[in-house]
Amino acid sequence: MHPHKTINYTIRSERKKATMIFNSIPFAVFFSCFFILYWVIFKNNLKLQNLLILAGSYFFYGWWDWRFLFLLIGSSLVNFILGIYIEKTTNEKKRRLLLYLGMLQGLGGLLFFKYYNFFVTSLADAFAAINVHLNVHTLQLILPLGISFYTFRTISYLLDIDKNKIKPCTDWVVFFSYVCFFPGLISGPIDKAKLLIPQLENKRVFDNSQMTDGLRQVLWGLFKKIVVADNCADIANQIFDNYKNLPGSSLALGALFYTFQLYSDFSGYSDMALGFARLLGFRITKNFNFPFFAQNIAEYWRRWHMSLTSWLTEYVFTPLSIKFRDYGKAGLALAIIINFTICGIWHGANWTYVLFGFLHGLYFIPLIIKGTMNKKTKKGKPTLFPSLVELKNIILTFILVLLTNIVFRADSLTQVFAFFKHIFSTSLLSYPLFTNRISALTALIFSVIMLFVEWLQRDKEHALQLDSIKMKPVFRWSIYYAIGIIILWFGGSQDTFIYFQF
Amino acid sequence: MKYFFKRFLIFLIPVVLYVVLVIIIDPYNYFSTTNKVVNPDLKKSISNKISNPLYELVEFEKKPSPYVLLGSSQTGLLSPDIIKEYTHSQFSNMSYGGGTLPELISTFWELTKRTQLKEVYMGISFIDFNGSQYRNRITEALKIKNNFISYTFSKSALESTFLILKSIALNKKIEIGKPDMSEDEFWKYQLDVTANRFYTTHSYPVNYYASLKQIADYCAANNIKLVFFIPPSHVDLQKKVEEFKLQAEENRFRQDLNKLGDVYDFNYPNDFTKERKNFSDPFHVVNEGSRTVAAELFSPDKKGIAMLLKKTVSPANQ
């Protein structure tokens, strides 16, 4: 393979970037000050509250790297103006042009920062396979934090205006705040304009029960992230880093720990994002609905990263399935496979993500053939134990997800195949090896506790929603203190969230 | 709104009380070394076991020394007071129980930020020379001691404070990390479980060796005396290398270490390592044994101490 040249681009990494993550001291200080200013000082002035959201969000983002604020502000400005002009323009051609301009701006930035190196190296590798060596240049680029999330927000905003689903926002403070609203800026959820903009335009009311529940949701998110995800991460990293030296049984457990890590890391972040938004009087898009209890892969995707699934369904899958409707089930399968391949690529510039999405697309084929893709599981009163059929379906779906998570976690396709080769060997039946069994056991126990609590609370908005459960305040508070102590005592120490890289 | 704030403040009262308690007890002497509210020996006996790196790093920050020992628990047995008898220099032993190569490396660089080092002794055994042992508690310890809030709300501070209070309340010595088995059972456990765990996951530490090379270069450039030594272990443990067919790797380890500086090897079959009474378990020498190692390592030959154990590693005697 021809060695690729790397140019030291001006925006190169010169220092370790420190993100103000939700479970950090800087964020605790920031949010406490913000909360007091927001509800005590500016409570009677909507305009000032929104300005504070804007300033606070830029401060939050600039903490990581202030230089990328220009990109965020520029993107907001372009889309704000385009939104207004798309609405005003009656000429269909001009309207299209403006829409494409907006999409080009959004997707162009995304393609450049996220996929440029991937495209040029893949192109060079493809030519190298036929013995043609291209002298390509790769760039040392930093991926702007949250770019995939805020770009999808702005694209959906323009598309919705174009389809007359919403009116453009004429208040720049509101629109800029919508694009950069800090609880969901870095890792989503990807809120649609029709949900968030009206909330920004209207006065927020301080509601005691909503505040308390917001705090509970934050606490549960912290538990999932710090106790479950971070402890599972230690074990999963250890196994994935040494997969060549470990038996198949250890690798299978590594995949299990990674699956728990991925879920508790991302859904923990989302719980915190939703909780913080509620503390500011907002209801943002729910991103997870206990996906490990899904009984088939379609249901899994209706419960996992729901804001992305909904976005892709509306703007990718639906138009594609309309286009391919003449081909019947084959057309539907093709639309699904394209949709999920795009979903995979959205996660990053690596063939592993392409394969990840493609496999998930393939998983839908049996459901399409049976015609059960859109069939929803009956929702009755939740029972303590699932039926045998439910349990079988849940386990099967979980195994499918677990297998694709190996692809998601791997650094390269070579590692994917090697990992699978190691797993599906005779050593799968051997005793698993760990360098630290107690940590593995701790991580496993907390993962099971998390799943158990979520199973019991699966008909609620989040696992710690205790409003409907009658109990004395002293018991309720004891639960909060107990979770707090568990977080301190058993907490892991990862510095970031998995989805920050996307 | 007032109701919410009022309830929230009430909710925070136990948290404030906890913070006050940690400040008073100060299990790692973070706030002051002269805090006499709790017996310093009691604090050390608990906190040093709960988070060895945090305790040592805080102590080093308060009393930095240019003479240091780095390594795992095998090196940790060398007492600075005994070493002082031979060198007249106050060494600081920055070795940790269960210490790993990445911890040793991180500690070295952290110490260079605190003081101008003069002599560094690194105790590295083959069992620790393992690329799969990547645990690094130093990053966490540095993060904890970074500021008052992270210290107060760290697991280490919480656990140590709780155990110190328990010890005071029950007027009882708290045993931490003491194996709940007889001496013979523990000996067997260390050989069959602990050693096996290390050797089954053994891989050559390419990256860590590169980091050690950087340290050696830094020491050479900054006139720091760097000495490596391989601590003694009982022959039962030495035989494990053969059992796992890692002899070639072990030889490579000695040779590679030798490329970085002076290496003294205490870990080979001899009268000392064959004698079980010199060891508390297959990994660790008893106190008297550590005195012998310290004498041989730190006393110049001219003082007339017979060199029974120490063997200089050089390309010639491989």
Side-chain angles (χ1 to χ4, degrees):
Chain A
M1 193 165 66
H2 190 81
H4 308 305
K5 275 186 186 171
T6 297
I7 296 172
N8 284 331
Y9 195 64
T10 46
I11 314 173
R12 67 184 190 276
S13 182
E14 287 150 357
R15 63 191 168 89
K16 200 186 167 202
K17 306 287 174 200
T19 317
M20 198 197 280
I21 57 173
F22 289 160
N23 54 322
S24 67
I25 292 165
F27 184 79
V29 174
F30 162 76
F31 192 79
S32 305
C33 299
F34 188 94
F35 187 79
I36 291 166
L37 281 174
Y38 185 83
W39 286 117
V40 180
I41 315 287
F42 299 145
K43 69 171 179 177
N44 293 322
N45 193 324
L46 180 66
K47 188 94 188 166
L48 282 178
Q49 270 191 337
N50 285 343
L51 268 173
L52 183 68
I53 288 176
L54 186 62
S57 298
Y58 285 160
F59 177 78
F60 173 79
Y61 193 78
W63 185 270
W64 165 68
D65 194 325
W66 61 269
R67 294 171 298 179
F68 287 102
L69 271 177
F70 295 110
L71 191 69
L72 182 61
I73 295 168
S75 177
S76 306
L77 183 66
V78 169
N79 285 284
F80 177 69
I81 296 167
L82 284 174
I84 292 169
Y85 277 99
I86 289 173
E87 165 77 2
K88 276 186 187 168
T89 311
T90 48
N91 182 318
E92 193 57 31
K93 260 191 176 174
K94 272 190 185 169
R95 211 177 150 98
R96 287 272 113 178
L97 191 72
L98 290 171
L99 177 69
Y100 291 148
L101 196 67
M103 289 178 69
L104 184 73
Q105 176 273 324
L107 291 175
L110 195 61
L111 288 171
F112 174 70
F113 283 105
K114 202 165 175 173
Y115 302 105
Y116 172 80
N117 286 342
F118 174 65
F119 284 138
V120 294
T121 52
S122 297
L123 192 72
D125 290 347
F127 275 97
I130 51 167
N131 223 10
V132 177
H133 297 291
L134 299 181
N135 188 13
V136 297
H137 295 278
T138 55
L139 305 174
Q140 269 191 8
L141 295 168
I142 300 173
L143 179 67
L145 211 56
I147 189 169
S148 309
F149 295 93
Y150 71 72
T151 301
F152 270 38
R153 278 188 192 187
T154 54
I155 290 175
S156 75
Y157 171 74
L158 294 183
L159 285 168
D160 286 354
I161 293 173
D162 182 55
K163 287 177 185 159
N164 293 318
K165 284 184 184 171
I166 55 165
K167 291 277 172 206
C169 180
T170 50
D171 181 338
W172 72 272
V173 178
V174 168
F175 180 74
F176 280 48
S177 302
Y178 158 67
V179 177
C180 70
F181 187 53
F182 72 85
L185 176 60
I186 293 173
S187 283
I190 306 165
D191 292 304
K192 289 188 184 139
K194 63 186 166 207
L195 176 84
L196 198 53
I197 287 180
Q199 293 187 63
L200 282 159
E201 286 170 338
N202 291 301
K203 189 171 163 49
R204 273 81 69 182
V205 182
F206 192 98
D207 180 333
N208 283 325
S209 62
Q210 195 181 327
M211 294 296 140
T212 313
D213 204 44
L215 280 175
R216 278 191 215 117
Q217 195 160 7
V218 170
L219 185 63
W220 185 246
L222 284 170
F223 170 78
K224 280 159 90 174
K225 164 64 185 161
I226 301 174
V227 179
V228 183
D230 289 357
N231 280 309
C232 286
D234 284 341
I235 311 300
N237 291 342
Q238 179 192 326
I239 293 171
F240 275 84
D241 290 346
N242 297 291
Y243 71 97
K244 285 178 187 164
N245 307 321
L246 294 168
S249 53
S250 294
L251 302 195
L253 280 174
L256 180 73
F257 279 116
Y258 179 66
T259 300
F260 288 147
Q261 181 204 348
L262 185 63
Y263 168 66
S264 43
D265 187 281
F266 191 21
S267 73
Y269 176 90
S270 297
D271 273 332
M272 285 187 256
L274 264 76
F276 287 123
R278 291 177 81 182
L279 287 169
L280 302 179
F282 290 88
R283 285 237 173 223
I284 58 174
T285 315
K286 191 177 173 180
N287 226 8
F288 289 88
N289 187 20
F290 314 118
F292 290 158
F293 309 138
Q295 294 188 44
N296 61 49
I297 206 72
E299 192 191 347
Y300 171 80
W301 277 102
R302 285 194 291 271
R303 290 163 171 259
W304 175 276
H305 202 173
M306 293 152 74
S307 62
L308 177 67
T309 310
S310 146
W311 197 101
L312 289 169
T313 304
E314 190 168 344
Y315 303 112
V316 180
F317 171 70
T318 307
L320 281 175
S321 55
I322 292 169
K323 204 162 207 163
F324 301 150
R325 66 186 153 192
D326 294 343
Y327 304 101
K329 285 184 175 175
L332 192 59
L334 187 62
I336 278 282
I337 287 171
I338 295 172
N339 181 65
F340 275 98
T341 308
I342 290 172
C343 174
I345 296 170
W346 175 88
H347 285 90
N350 195 328
W351 286 106
T352 53
Y353 295 124
V354 177
L355 181 63
F356 165 80
F358 181 74
L359 286 174
H360 269 284
L362 287 185
Y363 287 166
F364 274 74
I365 290 176
L367 300 178
I368 293 170
I369 293 168
K370 281 198 284 181
T372 54
M373 192 177 89
N374 293 318
K375 196 179 160 189
K376 292 195 176 149
T377 316
K378 275 183 203 166
K379 272 195 176 175
K381 205 179 171 217
T383 50
L384 184 57
F385 299 106
S387 68
L388 278 177
V389 176
E390 282 172 343
L391 188 65
K392 180 205 81 184
N393 291 341
I394 288 171
I395 291 172
L396 273 178
T397 310
F398 184 81
I399 290 171
L400 288 177
V401 170
L402 183 140
L403 291 174
T404 35
N405 282 347
I406 295 171
V407 183
F408 193 81
R409 171 63 173 76
D411 296 327
S412 63
L413 289 182
T414 318
Q415 193 186 354
V416 171
F417 298 126
F419 201 96
F420 275 113
K421 202 176 151 191
H422 272 73
I423 277 197
F424 296 111
S425 64
T426 48
S427 62
L428 181 61
L429 303 171
S430 65
Y431 192 75
L433 286 176
F434 290 106
T435 50
N436 195 341
R437 279 176 203 176
I438 292 173
S439 305
L441 192 64
T442 309
L444 190 64
I445 288 170
F446 282 116
S447 302
V448 171
I449 290 173
M450 173 191 73
L451 291 178
F452 181 67
V453 174
E454 295 207 332
W455 172 260
L456 293 178
Q457 294 281 85
R458 65 193 185 279
D459 58 331
K460 309 273 170 40
E461 282 292 304
H462 62 91
L464 213 56
Q465 197 172 52
L466 305 173
D467 291 339
S468 55
I469 302 169
K470 276 188 185 171
M471 64 169 89
K472 285 184 178 174
V474 65
F475 287 123
R476 196 167 288 181
W477 282 29
S478 303
I479 293 172
Y480 307 149
Y481 288 129
I483 295 175
I485 291 169
I486 288 171
I487 289 172
L488 288 187
W489 200 282
F490 294 100
S493 56
Q494 300 291 316
D495 276 338
T496 189
F497 287 84
I498 292 174
Y499 265 67
F500 279 12
Q501 62 185 301
F502 307 137
Chain B
M1 196 192 301
K2 269 186 191 165
Y3 175 78
F4 174 79
F5 278 106
K6 204 171 119 187
R7 278 175 70 86
F8 189 66
L9 287 175
I10 294 170
F11 181 78
L12 286 182
I13 289 173
V15 181
V16 174
L17 289 176
Y18 164 73
V19 172
V20 172
L21 199 63
V22 173
I23 293 171
I24 292 171
I25 291 179
D26 191 13
Y28 292 85
N29 300 319
Y30 177 83
F31 299 107
S32 161
T33 43
T34 53
N35 179 347
K36 295 281 191 298
V37 179
V38 176
N39 178 353
D41 291 336
L42 172 66
K43 267 199 227 183
K44 189 173 181 178
S45 69
I46 291 174
S47 302
N48 207 9
K49 289 262 170 63
I50 299 294
S51 180
N52 200 185
L54 179 61
Y55 193 90
E56 299 293 350
L57 286 167
V58 172
E59 195 164 87
F60 190 88
E61 196 170 311
K62 309 269 183 207
K63 287 185 222 157
S65 163
Y67 307 97
V68 291
L69 285 151
L70 299 171
S72 63
S73 56
Q74 291 173 308
T75 308
L77 293 167
L78 300 178
S79 157
D81 293 336
I82 296 172
I83 298 169
K84 198 175 179 181
E85 289 173 17
Y86 301 107
T87 61
H88 306 293
S89 301
Q90 186 57 55
F91 268 74
S92 186
N93 195 334
M94 299 296 290
S95 311
Y96 315 121
T100 60
L101 266 188
E103 288 178 348
L104 177 147
I105 292 159
S106 299
T107 304
F108 174 84
W109 293 117
E110 178 58 23
L111 301 190
T112 58
K113 290 179 201 160
R114 306 279 163 210
T115 189
Q116 176 59 54
L117 295 170
K118 286 182 183 164
E119 288 181 25
V120 178
Y121 284 75
M122 289 190 178
I124 302 175
S125 60
F126 175 60
I127 211 157
D128 296 328
F129 198 70
N130 185 347
S132 306
Q133 294 293 323
Y134 63 86
R135 182 174 74 156
N136 191 343
R137 293 166 293 174
I138 308 307
T139 327
E140 177 69 7
L142 293 176
K143 225 188 292 170
I144 291 172
K145 75 178 194 69
N146 190 27
N147 66 55
F148 151 71
I149 302 174
S150 52
Y151 169 70
T152 312
F153 290 99
S154 66
K155 182 198 166 190
S156 306
L158 173 70
E159 196 174 354
S160 297
T161 304
F162 170 75
L163 290 174
I164 289 167
L165 281 177
K166 188 178 163 190
S167 174
I168 293 169
L170 301 176
N171 195 21
K172 200 176 131 189
K173 198 181 169 200
I174 307 278
E175 298 283 2
I176 300 164
K178 198 179 172 192
D180 189 20
M181 50 183 95
S182 70
E183 208 173 289
D184 282 347
E185 282 171 338
F186 187 59
W187 188 278
K188 198 169 170 338
Y189 177 87
Q190 289 285 69
L191 286 174
D192 294 346
V193 179
T194 312
N196 285 10
R197 197 173 67 221
F198 282 111
Y199 285 134
T200 45
T201 58
H202 179 87
S203 64
Y204 193 83
V206 180
N207 295 334
Y208 300 146
Y209 183 73
S211 302
L212 286 176
K213 171 88 175 65
Q214 279 180 347
I215 289 178
D217 292 344
Y218 176 87
C219 289
N222 290 278
N223 209 18
I224 300 167
K225 181 180 172 187
L226 177 66
V227 176
F228 293 96
F229 66 98
I230 304 168
S233 65
H234 191 265
V235 283
D236 284 357
L237 182 60
Q238 292 172 29
K239 281 177 196 158
K240 282 274 167 187
V241 174
E242 208 174 316
E243 188 184 318
F244 282 86
K245 298 184 175 57
L246 291 167
Q247 301 97 313
E249 299 273 338
E250 191 182 29
N251 282 335
R252 183 181 168 193
F253 152 70
R254 286 197 176 95
Q255 290 282 16
D256 283 350
L257 222 50
N258 184 244
K259 287 175 194 159
L260 304 178
D262 292 339
V263 185
Y264 299 114
D265 187 4
F266 291 88
N267 193 44
Y268 62 95
N270 58 39
D271 290 345
F272 183 86
T273 56
K274 278 177 193 162
E275 184 56 70
R276 186 166 161 165
K277 71 172 188 219
N278 288 331
F279 292 84
S280 58
D281 67 60
F283 287 83
H284 302 103
V285 290
V286 292
N287 283 342
E288 207 41 50
S290 69
R291 179 175 273 277
T292 314
V293 174
E296 293 212 7
L297 194 58
F298 291 97
S299 169
D301 291 353
K302 61 187 176 190
K303 282 192 177 171
I305 290 177
M307 297 292 139
L308 299 171
L309 307 174
K310 189 172 79 173
K311 196 163 89 169
T312 305
V313 175
S314 66
N317 64 12
Q318 291 304 307

